[in-house]
C-alpha cells in the first residue's frame, strides 16, 4: 500500500550503505531532510488515495457519513410529505372558502334586489337591479309606475336626481 510505496522511494540510501543505522553516520540535518521528504511523499500518497482529512477518511468514517446522510435524507422526505399534506389541506380550504364566498355573494344579491324592489314599491316606482359579480357590474333601472304617461326608464344612475341616486345606491 502506501507505506510500501514510500519505503520503496527511500530504500536506495540504505541499500547503498548510507542508511540511518549505518556506521558512516548521517548528520542531523540530512536525517531531518530525509524525514521531510518522507512526510511529503506520505502526504502525497494519502492525497492520491483520497485521505485528505488527516486520517479521518477511513472506511468506518465513510460508513458513518453514509448513515448520517441517509438519516438526514429520511428526515427531509418526512418533511416533504408533511408539507405536501399541509398544501393539500390549504388548497381544499381555499376551494371551500371560494364556494362559500360565491354562495354568499349570490344570497346578498338576491337580498339587495328584494330590498330594492320593496323600497321602489313604497314610492310607487318600478325598476330592476342586476348584479354581475364576475365583471363587478351593478345595473339599476328605475322608472315611475306604468300608469304614468310620462313614465320613462333609465339605466344610468347619473341621470337620476341626487336623492334617487342615493336611494338606488343604498338599496
Amino acid at each position: 500500500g502506501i507505506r510500501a510505496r514510500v519505503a520503496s522511494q527511500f530504500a536506495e540510501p540504505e541499500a547503498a550503505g548510507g542508511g540511518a543505522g549505518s556506521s558512516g553516520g548521517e548528520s542531523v540535518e540530512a536525517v531531518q531532510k530525509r524525514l521531510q521528504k518522507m512526510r511529503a511523499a506520505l502526504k502525497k500518497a494519502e492525497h492520491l488515495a483520497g485521505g485528505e482529512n488527516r486520517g479521518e477518511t477511513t472506511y468506518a468514517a465513510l460508513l458513518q457519513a453514509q448513515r448520517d446522510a441517509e438519516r438526514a435524507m429520511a428526515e427531509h422526505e418526512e418533511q416533504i410529505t408533511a408539507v405536501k399534506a399541509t398544501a393539500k389541506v390549504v388548497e381544499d380550504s381555499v376551494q371551500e372558502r371560494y364556494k362559500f364566498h360565491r354562495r354568499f355573494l349570490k344570497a346578498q344579491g338576491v337580498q339587495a334586489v328584494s330590498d330594492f324592489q320593496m323600497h321602489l314599491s313604497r314610492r310607487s316606482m318600478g325598476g330592476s337591479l342586476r348584479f354581475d359579480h364576475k365583471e363587478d357590474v351593478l345595473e339599476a333601472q328605475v322608472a315611475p309606475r306604468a300608469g304614468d304617461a310620462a313614465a320613462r326608464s333609465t339605466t344610468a344612475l347619473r341621470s337620476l336626481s341626487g336623492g334617487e341616486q342615493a336611494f338606488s345606491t343604498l338599496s
Side-chain angles (χ1 to χ4, degrees), residues 30 37 44 50 56 62 70:
K37 282 183 180 181
K44 183 177 180 183
E56 294 175 11
L62 291 174
E70 287 173 349

Side-chain angles (χ1 to χ4, degrees), residues 86-161:
T86 302
K88 175 69 172 139
V89 168
V90 169
E91 182 180 340
D92 292 345
S93 175
V94 167
Q95 286 179 353
E96 188 62 33
R97 288 179 184 200
Y98 180 74
K99 289 176 186 176
F100 175 79
H101 178 70
R102 298 302 299 170
R103 287 191 306 261
F104 178 76
L105 285 179
K106 188 173 182 178
Q108 289 297 317
V110 169
Q111 183 65 43
V113 168
S114 175
D115 291 346
F116 185 72
Q117 291 294 331
M118 180 187 68
H119 290 298
L120 286 178
S121 67
R122 285 185 186 167
R123 289 173 177 61
S124 299
M125 299 181 85
S128 65
L129 191 63
R130 188 181 76 76
F131 290 97
D132 186 356
H133 294 288
K134 289 183 181 177
E135 299 294 324
D136 287 336
V137 174
L138 168 66
E139 289 182 12
Q141 199 172 39
V142 179
R145 287 282 177 203
D148 187 359
R152 188 176 132 239
S153 174
T154 181
T155 58
L157 290 178
R158 291 187 181 114
S159 66
L160 300 175
S161 70

